[in-house]
Amino acid sequence: MRLIVTGGAGFIGSTLVDMLCADGHEVTVIDDLRRGSRENLHPTARLIEMGVEEPGIAAVIHEVAPDAIFHLAAQIDVRSSVADPLADAQTNVMGTINLLNATCSAKVPKLVFASSGGAIYGDTEIVPTPETHSLLPASPYGAAKGSGELYGSAYSSMYGLAFTALRYANVYGPRQDPHGEAGVVAIFAQRMLERKSVVINGDGLQTRDYVYVEDVARANVAALTSAPGSYNIGTGVATSVRDIARGIAHATGYDAEPAFGPARPGEQRRSVLDISLARAALGWSPSIDLETGIALTCDWFAARART
């Protein structure tokens, strides 16, 4: 198949591109390289250096004429969305609308959208949280991801686009940015390997659902041939930030105690996803447990430090 992956030079996107190329698909990556890296690109993938909010996206999609598009390009920093909601919306809302317009104009039949299972639900009383829960985002980032799903649903109704939203839990693994907000596992792994101090924001008892990046890539592949809909992609297991820090310390041999800083604005207290619908409809379930995933991630960061 001919496929487009927006954000395909980034952390999750490049892992997906590797999987698609290994399966023999012809993959075009659209990425402005603000967060992505050429180093992440699979050698057989074609790169178009462009942001999804740019007018030229339509010409690219018409020229490639893909069988499906995976839309992973995004502004992913919750703190940045709080500080500058307009900039966040420019990429995550207007960029998504621009892509949807181009997708339907080129009569592409399928689009898989990277949504956020944590940010769009907000703090909930139902944990693990199912897809039927109301969307109560606590940040502009979450609101933008929810908007992307609503626009996708509208374009599905108007033009017959097969639109699937994958609501990711907290994704971690190799290639994650250790210098940004969106990646506590990567941040802690790099700092502990370098024997630098680690700061936990808040009391560290806030919980998240941590899912390994290759499992997320497999969910995208499964969505390519599955029925449209919105699906949680996580593990259904709650893990506190303190437990994450302990696990990474064990994997890296780090023996210092973490410090504690102020909680971040817009941060949820707990987020765990019910993944039963993805199991039933996509035939997908996570295969990498947290201990194994942390070990693989720390090994990747350690190997990169040696090169």
Side-chain angles (χ1 to χ4, degrees), residues 21-40:
C21 290
D23 287 342
H25 297 293
E26 181 182 325
V27 180
T28 296
V29 169
I30 299 175
D31 199 304
D32 61 12
L33 300 182
R34 280 183 292 182
R35 295 187 68 91
S37 169
R38 292 180 186 276
E39 295 177 3
N40 293 338

Side-chain angles (χ1 to χ4, degrees), residues 83-164:
D84 194 346
L86 288 175
D88 179 79
Q90 183 62 37
T91 298
N92 290 350
V93 179
M94 298 305 293
T96 296
I97 295 170
N98 190 42
L99 183 69
L100 285 166
N101 277 335
T103 298
C104 292
S105 173
K107 295 182 169 50
V108 180
K110 176 90 174 183
L111 189 143
V112 180
F113 174 63
S115 188
S116 172
I120 64 171
Y121 294 127
D123 281 306
T124 72
E125 295 300 319
I126 304 173
V127 178
T129 307
E131 290 86 350
T132 53
H133 195 280
S134 300
L135 305 188
L136 302 168
S139 67
Y141 170 77
K145 284 296 186 181
S147 295
E149 290 199 34
L150 289 172
Y151 273 101
S153 178
Y155 276 73
S156 177
S157 296
M158 291 188 296
Y159 303 112
L161 175 68
F163 180 84
T164 294

